Structures are given as C-alpha cells and as structure tokens.
Amino acid sequence: MNRRDFLKIAGVGMVSTIFEPVLPYEIKPSKKRLALLIDITKPFDIKACLDACNKAHNIPEIEDPKHKIKWIWPERFSDVFSEQIDMPKEITIPVLCNHCENPPCVRVCPTKATFKRKDGIVMMDYHRCIGCRFCMAACPYGARSFNWIDPKPFIKGSNPKFPTRTKGVVEKCNFCAERLDKRESPACVEPSNGSLIFGYLSEMKDLISNRYCLRRKPDLGTSPSVYYLI
Amino acid sequence: MKMYDKSKVIPGLFIFASIVAFPFLYNQVNPSSEPVLAKAEGKCVQEKDFMKKEHMKILNQWREGVVREGKREDIYINGIRYEKSLQKTCLKCHKRESFCDKCHSYAEVKPYCWNCHSGETK
C-alpha cells in the first residue's frame, strides 16, 4: 500500500466514524410474554392496589406534581381512552408502565439501563441509570418519573427488603420482577379481588378474545402488555 | 581533599535527611491502627481472606444476575444457602456502621450503594 492509498482509506475510515448511523438496539420479541389484564367492569379498591405497590417498592409520596414519583396511579377513563371510546359513566382506572413489546424507552437508553427481558418485562437497572431522561421523553404513556429530589424523606410505608432509589435516577413499574422471580404475584394484583389478572399472554388469549378490550394508544405500534377489559 | 563550608554543608545534609526520614520514622513509632471490625456470626459467603479482597466482585456478580438476567434463585456455597442480596444477606450478618463503613473509611473508599441499599428510608 502506498502513502496515497493509506490516506484514502484512513480518510474514509474517519468520515465513516463521524457518520456512523446510530442504530437502534435490537429488541427481540419476547419468548413468553407476561401481561396484565385490568377488568374495569368489576368495582375494586384501586387505592388498596396502589398502596400495596407503593409500600412494596418504597415509593415516596411527594405532593408537588413536578416531583411526583409514580409506578401505578389513578387516571380518569376518559382522559386515557377518549380517542378510542366514549364511556357514558366516568370511572377511575389504574395506569402503569405498559411493558411494551416494542418499547421506545429501550431504544433510546444510551446505557442499556432500561432493557427488555425475555418474558417481556421492561426492566430498569438503576445501577446504570445516568439520569439523562431520554426514556421519559420517549415514553408515550408518561409512565416514568425522575427523582429530582432525594425520595427517602417522603417514603411512608417502608419495605426494608427493597432498595430505595436516589436523586438523579428515573424509575417506573417493574411488573414486580422481584416478586415474580420468587413465584409471587405482583403486589397490585393481590388486593384487587380478581379485577387484575396477571399471567402469560398465551395462557390468557381466551379471556382477551372473548371480551372487548383496549390498550393505550395502539396506533403507536408499541404493543402494550396491559389490557383493559371493558 | 578539602571540603569548603563544612560548617554549613554538614548540618544542612543532616536537616535534609531528617526531613526525608520523618514520615517513615513517624509511622514506625505511631503505626496507624487498622480498624477493629465488629465480629460476625456464622459463615461468610467465602473465606475471610477471599472476602477481604473480592467482596465487591461478589456483589457485582449477584447484582448482574438478579437485575439483568433475572437469576434470583438462592445460591449454595459449601452447602449453605444464600440469597443474592446486599440488604437481605450481607447486612443480616454485618452491621453497616461497625463493619463495612469502618473498613471503607480506613481504605478511603466510598461505595455509593448506600444511597439506595441502606435498608433505611430517611
């Protein structure tokens, strides 16, 4: 190779590093996908479900809406589903991370702090979170919260077995991975009196096809794993 | 051979030598005391000498397994069962203040883990 060739190759190499396309992370389809069905026709104690989650995960109760931390929280049905359906009677429904099959948050995370497990759970690895909040911008459901302040003073019912979070990390629902991996059902499901049904999607196909069910913003193509049976 | 300014050079050398030697002599007389760690009961995850050097690697392995691979099953080491958890395992036998912190402040390391793994909410 002469000097001219060397310079040509080096030049192309340099330019290509500048223009290297930022490829999205490969997001594989889940092998066996977990899902949550929420039957909103049966009245149930939503507050008990939310409290169970807050307690299990040491979620702080911060009043300031700018600093609020939410894993599962109540919304008006019409605010969530107005584009899809009109409900004659106003009701409150719980909303949470949808653990999308095609999660935009996972695509944008620069450190792979958020990733999708084989069972479809979109996990947060707090040890890797650098607090850039790209995931919050990417999530169409507002399911992620940023710790602007130290959450510890605001934690009410504490669970000494679960780690807290700290100022500067993003957090969200983990589908109770820590409980599932120990063969327990998610904290919110337990007090729901059968209104929340959790399991593998493949095993709940009948329930879904026999009922009218909604998912949030289906046209975005994220394919949520949380179904609302109405 | 003749030495000029003997009266200045020799004391000067002596002062220089003592300044250089001072830290070494000081440590001979005053050995900085190694921290006395609180005694723990039971059997640690590994041998003491291994733990001393490698405990952070064990924690990292557990963490990767639990958080990223979903491998939360308890592990058996020499027939004893351990849950892969900083709070639920290490801190059950070792007090943070009288054990981990004591050695860490001696060694000038400040693990940030306690921000989230202190087991306290305050």
Side-chain angles (χ1 to χ4, degrees):
Chain A
M1 181 164 51
N2 62 28
R3 184 178 151 279
R4 230 182 117 75
D5 286 342
F6 172 77
L7 285 178
K8 271 189 205 153
I9 294 169
V12 170
M14 264 163 67
V15 170
S16 69
T17 58
I18 299 168
F19 290 106
E20 186 192 1
V22 182
L23 292 173
Y25 293 125
E26 189 192 358
I27 297 174
K28 298 198 188 85
S30 317
K31 284 217 177 97
K32 268 189 107 185
R33 188 169 159 202
L34 289 166
L36 178 67
L37 315 188
I38 303 182
D39 187 343
I40 60 174
T41 57
K42 281 194 270 176
F44 68 103
D45 190 352
I46 295 183
K47 188 166 182 303
C49 299
L50 310 192
D51 285 348
C53 172
N54 292 344
K55 185 161 187 296
H57 302 111
N58 293 321
I59 293 164
E61 279 178 41
I62 303 174
E63 287 308 322
D64 184 348
K66 275 185 267 167
H67 296 162
K68 229 182 173 96
I69 304 291
K70 303 178 296 189
W71 284 32
I72 177 168
W73 71 99
E75 288 281 3
R76 294 215 318 257
F77 181 88
S78 57
D79 291 344
V80 179
F81 287 116
S82 56
E83 291 159 14
Q84 296 183 49
I85 193 169
D86 278 329
M87 197 69 146
K89 204 175 80 190
E90 188 58 86
I91 55 166
T92 304
I93 57 170
V95 291
L96 64 156
C97 169
N98 279 304
H99 296 274
C100 304
E101 178 66 355
N102 194 5
C105 53
V106 171
R107 283 187 193 284
V108 298
C109 178
T111 61
K112 289 199 183 183
T114 192
F115 59 97
K116 199 176 82 174
R117 303 198 330 177
K118 285 196 196 80
D119 56 10
I121 295 185
V122 176
M123 273 287 274
M124 270 294 295
D125 182 346
Y126 297 97
H127 309 97
R128 288 205 192 184
C129 178
I130 56 170
C132 71
R133 312 201 294 288
F134 288 0
C135 55
M136 292 178 67
C139 177
Y141 307 104
R144 291 172 164 269
S145 313
F146 184 66
N147 284 281
W148 291 99
I149 52 174
D150 182 15
K152 288 190 203 68
F154 301 95
I155 298 172
K156 295 273 163 63
S158 77
N159 172 9
K161 289 183 181 154
F162 195 79
T164 58
R165 269 73 60 207
T166 186
K167 186 175 161 178
V169 296
V170 172
E171 61 178 87
K172 69 164 195 78
C173 158
N174 63 350
F175 251 14
C176 278
E178 85 283 7
R179 295 168 60 96
L180 300 178
D181 292 347
K182 299 211 179 285
R183 319 231 155 273
E184 292 168 36
S185 61
C188 59
V189 170
E190 273 179 359
S192 76
N193 216 350
S195 287
L196 305 196
I197 308 155
F198 191 84
Y200 286 110
L201 196 55
S202 53
E203 290 159 17
M204 302 193 295
K205 278 261 148 65
D206 287 349
L207 260 169
I208 293 172
S209 50
N210 292 339
R211 294 277 299 268
Y212 192 76
C213 58
L214 296 173
R215 291 191 286 171
R216 294 180 69 188
K217 305 191 183 177
D219 40 341
L220 295 179
T222 57
S223 186
S225 299
V226 178
Y227 292 74
Y228 293 85
L229 308 180
I230 64 170
Chain B
M1 199 175 81
K2 191 170 184 317
M3 189 175 180
Y4 296 101
D5 287 333
K6 204 188 263 175
S7 63
K8 283 181 199 147
V9 169
I10 299 226
L13 276 175
F14 181 75
I15 291 167
F16 175 72
S18 24
I19 290 172
V20 171
F22 175 76
F24 300 99
L25 292 172
Y26 181 85
N27 258 5
Q28 288 295 310
V29 183
N30 265 324
S32 56
S33 51
E34 286 214 14
V36 185
L37 302 175
K39 280 266 167 285
E41 302 283 318
K43 220 165 155 3
C44 199
V45 181
Q46 293 285 349
E47 293 304 318
K48 181 176 163 181
D49 289 336
F50 183 83
M51 287 310 284
K52 215 174 196 160
K53 285 182 248 152
E54 309 282 340
H55 61 279
M56 46 314 244
K57 289 190 193 150
I58 295 177
L59 286 169
N60 272 357
Q61 271 171 14
W62 287 8
R63 165 169 99 182
E64 290 290 296
V66 167
V67 178
R68 299 200 77 87
E69 292 150 29
K71 291 190 185 132
R72 285 177 200 256
E73 314 80 54
D74 296 345
I75 45 166
Y76 289 85
I77 299 171
N78 300 326
I80 303 174
R81 196 165 102 176
Y82 299 96
E83 187 173 352
K84 290 192 246 175
S85 169
L86 172 52
Q87 280 157 259
K88 286 181 261 179
T89 302
C90 312
L91 296 189
K92 206 171 64 193
C93 292
H94 299 298
K95 279 245 161 48
R96 178 185 157 193
E97 293 80 15
S98 58
F99 189 79
C100 318
D101 283 359
K102 247 192 179 157
C103 190
H104 287 159
S105 63
Y106 173 72
E108 286 270 359
V109 275
K110 295 190 184 70
Y112 70 102
C113 324
W114 308 119
N115 289 342
C116 302
H117 285 282
S118 65
E120 291 158 12
T121 49
K122 196 175 57 61

